[in-house]
Every structure is written in structure tokens, then in C-alpha cells.
């Protein structure tokens, strides 16, 4: 059985590390619950990361509110396919605002990683009784919602340009990255939401 | 009669939101909030964001606060149910949150489909730890919204103002 996930060759952790390399005070990062949270934390926990431990469906609208409030900063949302599927409408809400400082990166392994790697809707159809999805193409969904600069990244050779796009290209930018299904170590940031919020504001605004 | 006294309560809400430096206004289309939404859309200091579902308003408000801006979520009671899980963010992050809710299924409602969520709205908000203010008298709208904004942005609370159907008027779809 050849699924899209099995064909994926990119590994999420080194990829996220490259996206966040050299992150300075101009880069504000929101990480979705579960794997994306652990990914951005392994790359280096920092006050201007807002890693979510829950609030599935929140990262994209949260990134939008932040991007609109801080138009001079780059806002980067890094989350997974399961989280993105829970807030598809938020892509239309982003498109209506066209924030030029917002990039959304969806790491798509076609699985709900935190609950035991069940298929998400981005898994292929007709992929067996327990592992079938709908073949949902989130990059196409984003484009359909009105985010014109939307693309899929699959190959190592595309990564350098992808990192540049995520960090600097005029937004809104949407990138779907097909990544491998992997069993990875949990690398956890602080869990206290108020602490995460206060340290973020302290670093950005000089007050909690 | 003074000019202030002749102001519609919706215009008074707009003034209060401006006084509290609200910069982002989240909304879905709503007849009850319609006039206020239009005033915000025409404002130079406020950015209005149309949502596909009320749920988006909570993380938007959290993101705005992370970035140093105050916001408000305008919704109808039927939208409250859409926000419940993410409303929990107001507790986990402990950020100031203000929402103004036009009530349906509340007082002489014509549409039976509005009653379940309308009647459930105060209980759902209380269950999620949101502080409730309620107003059914036009003369008290301004003071109530002002107090709610103070509780939110000075006191760090999640606060909802219920604009009761008695205040808004009963939608009757042309029936008498």
C-alpha cells in the first residue's frame, strides 16, 4: 500500500530547525498543539514562541490577530494538518485581511499524531478500512479561500526556497509541507499559558 | 434634551469602545450589532475582521493581546455555543477578553430554533468562567459596556455583556 505519507521524504524536526534558524526579535512564532509545539521547542525555546498545548484550531486566527497588531513583525504559524482541518474557515478570514506579514506553514503527515496516528482527511481515499482519508489538499483549500500564494513542498531541493518564503516573502503565504510519519521525542516548553503569554509580551512590548 | 441623551445606544457602545482604545473588532453579520459594526468599519482607528465562525474570535483576541492591542468580539447568542472550547483560552492564557452579545431566544422570540442556545447562553458562559453583565434598558447600556471594558482591560477578566432582547427589540419577520 503506497500512501502519500509513505512517499514523503522530509523530516519535520530538521525542517522546522531550518525555518527558525537565526530567529530574531522580528520573528513571532505560533506553534500548534502536539507535534508542532514539540518541533518549535526542539529548535530552541524562546520568549517570542507561543507554543500551544491545546486550543486546537486556534493557531491561524491567533496568528492573524497578532499579525494585524504587529504589522512590522513577521508572524509565522507552524501547525499540523489535523489542527488546520479544524479551522479551515480561518483561511478565508485571513484572505479577507491579506496580512502581508503572515506566513502559515502546515506540516502535513496525514495523521493525527497525538491520538495514535489515525488518518486525517489529507490521507488518501481507499487506503484500507482504518487508514483512509479524503485526499484533502490543504494548499488547494487555502488558495480557494483566497490566499493566492499557496504551494506544496515535497522535496529536499525545494526547502531552501521554502524557508525564504516562510521567513520573508510578502504575505499572506501558505505552505503545505508533506512530512514523514515519525516517532519523535517530546520536547516540551513551559506549559503555563499565562507564563507563555507574559514572557511573549515582555519580550515584544517590554511589559507583561 | 442634550445631544448625548439622543444618541442611540449602539452609537454609545461605539464611543465606549473608542474610549477604551479597542483596535480590532471581530464580528459575523448581525442585525442587532449591524449599526455598531458599520460604525467600526468606517472608523479610522479600528480594524474590523469578518469571521466565518464566532470561534475564531477568541484566538484572534489572544493574538491581538500578544501583539499589544485590545479587541472586542461582537456576536449573537447563537454564536456563543461555537466558541466554548476556545473560550477556555481566556483561562489558560489569562488575557483580557471582551464580548458583546445580542440575545435571541430570550424575550418574545418568534423563532423556536433560537431558544435552546439563547436560554443556554448565560449558563455556558458561566461554565467557562466568563464574567456576565446583562442590560435590558437603553439608558444603562453605556455604563454597562464601560464597566465591562474596565473589568476586562483593567481587571484582566473575560467579560461578556448580554444585550437582552427586550433592549434590541423582537424580530418578527413581518408578523404582528
Amino acid at each position: 500500500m503506497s500512501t502519500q505519507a509513505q512517499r514523503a521524504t522530509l523530516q519535520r524536526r530538521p525542517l522546522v530547525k531550518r525555518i527558525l534558524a537565526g530567529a530574531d526579535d522580528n520573528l513571532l512564532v505560533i506553534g500548534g498543539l502536539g507535534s508542532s509545539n514539540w518541533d518549535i521547542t526542539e529548535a530552541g525555546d524562546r520568549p517570542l514562541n507561543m507554543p500551544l498545548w491545546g486550543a486546537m484550531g486556534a493557531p491561524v486566527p491567533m496568528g492573524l490577530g497578532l499579525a494585524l497588531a504587529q504589522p512590522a513583525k513577521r508572524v509565522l504559524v507552524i501547525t499540523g494538518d489535523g489542527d488546520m482541518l479544524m479551522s479551515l474557515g480561518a483561511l478565508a478570514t485571513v484572505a479577507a485581511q491579506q496580512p502581508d506579514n503572515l506566513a502559515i506553514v502546515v506540516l502535513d503527515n496525514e495523521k493525527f499524531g497525538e491520538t495514535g496516528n489515525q488518518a486525517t482527511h489529507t490521507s488518501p481515499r481507499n487506503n484500507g478500512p482504518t487508514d483512509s482519508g479524503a485526499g484533502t489538499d490543504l494548499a488547494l483549500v487555502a488558495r480557494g479561500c483566497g490566499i493566492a500564494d499557496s504551494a506544496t513542498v515535497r522535496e529536499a531541493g525545494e526547502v531552501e526556497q521554502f524557508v525564504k518564503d516562510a521567513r520573508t516573502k510578502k504575505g499572506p503565504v501558505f505552505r503545505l509541507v508533506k512530512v514523514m510519519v515519525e516517532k519523535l521525542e517530546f520536547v516540551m516548553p513551559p506549559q503555563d499559558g499565562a507564563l507563555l503569554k507574559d514572557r511573549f509580551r515582555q519580550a515584544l512590548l517590554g511589559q507583561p | 434634551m442634550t445631544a448625548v441623551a439622543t444618541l442611540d445606544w449602539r452609537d454609545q457602545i461605539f464611543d465606549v469602545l473608542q474610549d477604551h482604545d479597542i483596535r480590532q473588532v471581530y464580528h459575523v453579520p448581525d442585525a442587532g450589532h449591524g449599526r455598531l459594526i458599520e460604525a467600526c468599519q468606517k472608523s479610522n482607528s479600528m480594524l474590523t475582521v469578518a469571521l466565518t465562525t464566532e470561534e475564531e474570535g477568541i484566538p484572534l483576541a489572544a493574538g491581538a493581546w500578544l501583539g499589544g492591542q485590545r479587541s472586542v468580539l461582537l456576536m449573537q447568542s447563537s454564536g456563543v455555543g461555537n466558541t466554548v472550547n476556545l473560550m477556555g483560552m481566556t483561562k489558560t492564557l489569562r488575557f483580557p477578553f471582551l464580548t458583546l452579545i445580542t440575545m435571541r431566544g430570550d424575550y418574545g422570540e418568534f423563532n423556536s430554533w433560537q431558544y435552546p442556545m439563547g436560554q443556554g447562553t448565560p449558563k455556558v458562559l458561566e461554565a467557562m468562567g466568563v464574567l456576565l453583565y446583562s442590560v435590558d434598558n437603553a439608558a444603562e447600556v453605556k455604563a454597562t459596556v464601560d464597566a465591562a471594558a474596565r473589568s476586562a482591560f483593567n481587571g484582566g477578566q473575560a467579560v461578556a455583556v448580554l444585550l437582552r432582547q427586550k433592549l434590541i427589540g423582537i424580530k418578527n419577520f413581518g408578523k404582528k
Side-chain angles (χ1 to χ4, degrees):
Chain A
M1 197 159 23
S2 172
T3 68
Q4 288 175 47
Q6 283 162 344
R7 284 202 302 273
T9 56
L10 295 173
Q11 294 180 291
R12 56 192 307 146
R13 289 274 167 91
L15 191 85
V16 169
K17 217 169 247 181
R18 280 190 69 178
I19 303 171
L20 299 180
D24 60 14
D25 289 353
N26 288 311
L27 184 68
L28 314 179
V29 180
I30 297 188
L33 83 169
S35 303
S36 309
N37 175 333
W38 323 140
D39 294 340
I40 66 168
T41 303
E42 200 211 42
D45 186 38
R46 54 195 280 275
L48 293 175
N49 278 6
M50 186 69 205
L52 304 184
W53 286 74
M56 197 165 177
V60 170
M62 199 170 182
L64 176 60
L66 179 57
L68 296 175
Q70 288 287 334
K73 305 282 187 183
R74 183 68 170 189
V75 176
L76 180 58
V77 172
I78 299 178
T79 194
D81 45 313
D83 180 79
M84 192 68 253
L85 283 162
M86 199 173 269
S87 55
L88 295 181
L91 294 171
T93 302
V94 166
Q97 298 297 324
Q98 292 291 314
D100 63 10
N101 59 334
L102 177 65
I104 299 165
V105 172
V106 175
L107 305 171
D108 182 7
N109 64 1
E110 307 180 353
K111 304 287 184 192
F112 290 107
E114 295 304 304
T115 52
N117 279 341
Q118 296 89 347
T120 68
H121 296 62
T122 66
S123 281
R125 293 176 66 193
N126 305 317
N127 198 38
T130 63
D131 218 19
S132 290
T136 301
D137 181 341
L138 290 171
L140 205 54
V141 171
R143 196 172 311 123
C145 282
I147 301 176
D149 189 353
S150 173
T152 300
V153 178
R154 296 177 185 275
E155 310 294 336
E158 300 171 296
V159 168
E160 190 176 339
Q161 185 60 47
F162 154 70
V163 170
K164 273 186 202 156
D165 292 350
R167 288 287 294 269
T168 59
K169 199 174 180 195
K170 186 174 183 294
V173 169
F174 182 96
R175 291 291 180 273
L176 183 74
V177 189
K178 287 292 186 178
V179 295
M180 294 164 64
V181 177
E182 298 174 275
K183 191 160 177 55
L184 296 165
E185 189 192 346
F186 296 118
V187 185
M188 300 180 180
Q191 189 184 114
D192 184 337
L195 181 147
L196 292 167
K197 171 211 61 174
D198 287 347
R199 72 174 193 173
F200 189 103
R201 280 173 54 93
Q202 184 72 47
L204 178 64
L205 308 166
Q207 59 183 42
Chain B
M1 197 182 279
T2 66
V4 171
T6 61
L7 267 185
D8 186 275
W9 57 267
R10 296 166 189 85
D11 300 328
Q12 292 180 337
I13 292 178
F14 175 75
D15 290 344
V16 172
L17 296 181
Q18 282 217 308
D19 289 346
H20 284 276
D21 195 28
I22 302 294
R23 303 291 298 280
Q24 298 189 26
V25 179
Y26 316 126
H27 65 91
V28 294
D30 179 29
H33 277 311
R35 180 168 167 158
L36 172 60
I37 292 168
E38 281 178 26
C40 295
Q41 286 169 333
K42 289 173 185 165
S43 161
N44 291 325
S45 64
M46 294 175 179
L47 182 67
T48 57
V49 180
L51 312 177
T52 65
T53 168
E54 295 82 354
E55 181 183 25
E56 294 168 6
I58 317 298
L60 267 158
W65 183 251
L66 282 182
Q69 285 192 348
R70 298 176 174 191
S71 65
V72 66
L73 171 59
L74 308 179
M75 61 177 163
Q76 207 175 86
S77 50
S78 49
V80 170
N82 294 346
T83 69
V84 178
N85 181 45
L86 293 188
M87 194 64 86
M89 294 176 79
T90 63
K91 274 195 160 178
T92 49
L93 301 187
R94 289 208 306 275
F95 69 97
F97 176 74
L98 177 64
T99 180
L100 309 182
I101 300 166
T102 51
M103 293 298 294
R104 296 287 305 272
D106 179 35
Y107 182 83
E109 171 68 53
F110 150 78
N111 184 346
S112 62
W113 291 57
Q114 289 286 351
Y115 277 97
M117 195 63 239
Q119 292 297 306
T121 285
K123 295 170 195 164
V124 164
L125 290 169
E126 275 171 11
M128 294 312 293
V130 178
L131 192 58
L132 284 188
Y133 287 71
S134 180
V135 57
D136 62 6
N137 176 350
E140 292 170 11
V141 169
K142 185 178 180 181
T144 306
V145 176
D146 180 64
R150 286 171 194 275
S151 297
F153 299 111
N154 301 342
Q157 302 299 303
V159 190
V161 178
L162 306 182
L163 301 164
R164 310 305 302 228
Q165 205 160 15
K166 193 174 180 182
L167 167 74
I168 298 161
I170 298 162
K171 187 174 180 176
N172 64 11
F173 293 95
K175 296 187 178 184
K176 295 291 177 189

